[in-house]
Amino acid sequence: MMHMSRALPRHATPRRAAYKPDTGARALATRELLLLSLRYCQCTVCAFPAMSAAAVTATPRHARPSPLNPNARAAAAAAAAAPPNAVSTTRTHLANLDRLLVRPPPLPLPLQNKGAPPADDLGDGGGAATPDDRSGRCGLLNALNLSTFLPFVRKPAVDEMSPRSLAHLQRLLTLSPRPSPKGSIAGEWRRYHGEDGWDGLLDPLDQNLRREVLRYGDFVQAAYTAFHSMPSSSSAAASQHSQHRTLVLPDRSYRPTRSLFATSSLSIPAWARRRSAPGWLTQRSSFVGYVAVCDNEGEVQRMGRRDIAIVLRGTATCPEWAENLRAGLVPVDDDDDDDVGSPQNAPKVAKGFLSLYKTAGDHVPSLSDAIVDEVRRLVEVYEGEELSITVVGHSLGASLAVLAADELSACLSADAAEHRRRPPPIAVVSFGGPKTGNRAFADRLQNGRGVNVLRVVNAGDVVTRVPAPAMAREGEGHVHAGAELRLDSRDSPCLRPDAGPACCHDLEAYLHLLDGFAGSGRPFRADASRSVARLLTYQRPNVRRAYVERARVLGFEPATPRTATANGAGGGAEGHYGYLASPT
């Protein structure tokens, strides 16, 4: 001891290390200590039975009171009045202690800042709540406005929220696909493909049709994601059958067979290019979509035919935006290139759309040639089978889809007449598409070519109302073609009623509304199961504040849209949700 005291100076005292208790370790140590103490008491009681009166007067297990014994009730009452067994009491305490120590913590409530508005101001516009403001002031459930999703959420208190409803909300905040149950449509697939103009299927919306249209919409999302994950890939597509290497389809029953590229006839001059802008923003040729075929035999049997899908995205580059502004009508047929002197009732389309569809690039064929060649190849590969062709597009892709369907109908009808076979039916499913051509073109598309067109339209989307009629003469204005399925952003419990034009035109907003649409004048579908994570990620300013706050409480932090890729594809990408909103 004397030697140790000389080792330290007199003025120096040994320092203790700073102790930072771990809450989890401390709780575990406390639990173990209590368990050891209680078990020691239990062992003491078992070792000294003379100290326990219950141990001396314990009734054997096999000694049951007989119902014929008149003293049975008195014996049972005496046993009940006897002091409890120490062993059983100790076990009860141990069980209660286990339940107490392993009980999960309650769900934390959102912290209100000192300058935060009161609960009444959690709506969209601030101030007094409007009748349409469904952001709620009655606890967790109504604040999340889950009454449209969960039928049992009429409980006002936070503690009433069951684990089942929490799991449902967590599922809505993930991107795990939970589509509606698949029903067999083999018997009437032509009706779902638009043979009768979808008569009786749109309002109220048939659940099988909803699921099919949602799947086609997700295909367009995959085209957006593939483009943004590798936008400068047109030079790698010198081969006519090249495939975009980051293309991952959400439905694996379809297999992509060819990537499609659109080329603009316009070029951005050097003086108009910004040095900080990426090169793909001004390139003439860009990845615009793909062709896919259903090669899953089980899905082929469920649908009643083998489906060939042609998927086209919307506007993304500056040359494509410039082409959108060229709204003048020109003849769609190649045999009449000059619109001057052409008959008034000739089919005409917007000049910019036709330019993107017909122009060939330096390393890629035109979109027209690529689509026709690939579809003809697939028809020959699956000759003798029941086939259908579905052309899907959003925004600019919707107009390109109409042009592709018109040309495919003419080409496949000629091939079928030559080989004496029936051509496959062609349908167009468009989301937020502008007007493409004049009345003569719309009539030829539907009546002359037999193409079925389904237009999914948001009432607040201004793109669906352009171009405006430029000429007063009959037959020279732009018109829509086909049946219309009208949605409205104000029907959504998640979106703000004053959502901006970008949100109203966004494809994910379309799919969200479509998943909840039941029919005109009906509330949002109670069992809508499409994830709201993408809306929170890419349309957060247009999502109701109550949803944003509750998502933050549940630990949901959206990824940045600029780094997300398809299902984690595309190596080095930092986003984790695998999604990119439409560039509107």
Side-chain angles (χ1 to χ4, degrees):
M1 294 295 294
M2 295 296 294
H3 176 73
M4 295 178 60
S5 62
R6 292 194 190 100
L8 294 174
R10 295 181 180 180
H11 62 274
T13 57
R15 295 184 179 179
R16 293 185 178 181
Y19 175 66
K20 297 180 180 180
D22 186 3
T23 304
R26 184 171 57 184
L28 183 60
T30 305
R31 178 178 181 274
E32 293 295 335
L33 208 57
L34 289 174
L35 287 176
L36 288 175
S37 302
L38 290 174
R39 284 169 183 164
Y40 174 77
C41 295
Q42 178 183 358
C43 295
T44 305
V45 171
C46 295
F48 300 96
M51 298 177 61
S52 175
V56 176
T57 60
T59 305
R61 296 182 180 178
H62 63 275
R64 286 189 175 183
S66 173
L68 300 178
N69 187 359
N71 298 325
R73 296 184 178 179
N85 191 320
V87 177
S88 61
T89 304
T90 304
R91 290 176 180 172
T92 303
H93 285 307
L94 286 173
N96 292 337
L97 180 63
D98 285 339
R99 285 196 297 268
L100 179 64
L101 292 179
V102 302
R103 179 180 299 173
L107 181 70
L109 295 178
L111 299 177
Q112 294 290 344
N113 298 328
K114 295 182 179 180
D120 293 343
D121 296 337
L122 283 180
D124 303 312
T130 61
D132 188 72
D133 183 12
R134 291 171 278 185
S135 57
R137 298 177 294 275
C138 300
L140 170 63
L141 298 179
N142 291 336
L144 254 178
N145 198 15
L146 290 180
S147 59
T148 56
F149 295 103
L150 305 174
F152 49 86
V153 295
R154 299 296 182 181
K155 302 176 182 179
V158 175
D159 294 338
E160 298 291 338
M161 192 169 191
S162 64
R164 179 182 177 186
S165 58
L166 282 174
H168 185 85
L169 175 60
Q170 192 68 26
R171 190 163 61 246
L172 291 177
L173 291 176
T174 61
L175 291 189
S176 56
R178 288 180 175 267
S180 303
K182 287 185 178 181
S184 177
I185 58 174
E188 45 184 357
W189 70 267
R190 292 184 180 272
R191 183 172 177 234
Y192 285 102
H193 203 249
E195 185 178 46
D196 299 328
W198 292 278
D199 185 28
L201 299 176
L202 300 179
D203 198 2
L205 183 59
D206 184 85
Q207 61 177 356
N208 291 322
L209 180 61
R210 177 191 294 110
R211 191 189 188 286
E212 299 299 315
V213 177
L214 282 173
R215 174 168 62 178
Y216 290 131
D218 285 330
F219 283 171
V220 184
Q221 291 286 29
Y224 276 118
T225 307
F227 169 76
H228 284 281
S229 61
M230 189 180 294
S232 302
S233 60
S234 60
S235 59
S239 173
Q240 293 186 0
H241 298 286
S242 63
Q243 180 180 335
H244 204 281
R245 68 185 184 202
T246 62
L247 180 59
V248 179
L249 300 189
D251 190 341
R252 299 303 176 89
S253 60
Y254 279 74
R255 174 179 54 87
T257 62
R258 180 170 182 173
S259 295
L260 303 175
F261 296 85
T263 302
S264 171
S265 59
L266 305 176
S267 59
I268 305 299
W271 58 266
R273 301 179 183 179
R274 298 181 58 182
R275 294 182 179 180
S276 59
W280 62 265
L281 198 59
T282 57
Q283 63 187 7
R284 292 179 59 239
S285 298
S286 301
F287 171 84
V288 74
Y290 57 91
V291 180
V293 61
C294 180
D295 62 350
N296 184 286
E297 296 304 324
E299 186 68 8
V300 170
Q301 294 180 3
R302 187 194 70 84
M303 295 191 301
R305 88 279 188 191
R306 189 180 300 275
D307 186 45
I308 300 174
I310 302 162
V311 184
L312 302 168
R313 62 162 176 82
T315 310
T317 66
C318 291
E320 292 170 359
W321 278 109
E323 295 284 13
N324 289 340
L325 301 178
R326 304 171 68 188
L329 293 172
V330 295
V332 67
D333 296 326
D334 295 334
D335 55 357
D336 193 1
D337 295 332
D338 188 8
D339 58 342
V340 180
S342 60
Q344 183 177 350
N345 57 353
K348 297 180 181 180
V349 296
K351 185 175 183 178
F353 299 151
L354 188 63
S355 172
L356 285 172
Y357 184 67
K358 290 289 187 180
T359 305
D362 297 334
H363 305 284
V364 293
S366 66
L367 180 62
S368 170
D369 294 339
I371 291 178
V372 172
D373 293 345
E374 182 63 15
V375 171
R376 277 176 167 170
R377 186 186 70 84
L378 292 176
V379 170
E380 293 179 359
V381 169
Y382 299 104
E383 184 177 2
E385 295 188 22
E386 196 77 51
L387 298 177
S388 68
I389 298 174
T390 308
V391 195
V392 193
H394 170 245
S395 189
L396 167 65
S399 294
L400 297 178
V402 171
L403 295 176
D406 178 74
E407 184 178 18
L408 280 175
S409 178
C411 295
L412 296 182
S413 297
D415 296 343
E418 181 180 355
H419 296 86
R420 297 182 180 181
R421 62 189 181 194
R422 185 179 180 181
I426 301 176
V428 174
V429 178
S430 68
F431 299 90
K435 301 174 185 178
T436 305
N438 61 356
R439 175 66 62 184
F441 175 74
D443 292 341
R444 187 184 77 172
L445 182 70
Q446 294 181 263
N447 303 326
R449 301 286 170 86
V451 176
N452 307 311
V453 181
L454 175 60
R455 297 186 301 107
V456 184
V457 176
N458 188 353
D461 189 359
V462 297
V463 177
T464 60
R465 299 193 289 269
V466 296
M471 299 183 181
R473 292 183 300 173
E474 184 179 359
E476 288 298 325
H478 299 75
V479 298
H480 282 298
E484 179 181 274
L485 175 58
R486 180 166 289 268
L487 310 173
D488 197 332
S489 298
R490 294 172 293 182
D491 295 336
S492 169
C494 182
L495 297 176
R496 293 163 54 109
D498 58 344
C503 178
C504 292
H505 186 62
D506 185 70
L507 179 57
E508 183 57 33
Y510 265 90
L511 300 182
H512 166 72
L513 296 174
L514 180 62
D515 186 48
F517 179 77
S520 299
R522 301 188 180 188
F524 207 77
R525 201 163 60 97
D527 55 346
S529 58
R530 186 174 183 85
S531 172
V532 297
R534 292 172 177 173
L535 287 177
L536 286 168
T537 303
Y538 301 97
Q539 294 297 336
R540 171 170 285 199
N542 295 292
V543 176
R544 295 181 185 268
R545 187 180 301 176
Y547 271 81
V548 176
E549 294 296 331
R550 186 53 54 186
R552 185 179 295 112
V553 169
L554 292 177
F556 172 78
E557 289 297 334
T560 54
R562 61 185 179 84
T563 57
T565 55
N567 296 331
E574 300 174 1
H576 32 205
Y577 288 115
Y579 169 74
L580 265 169
S582 54
T584 57

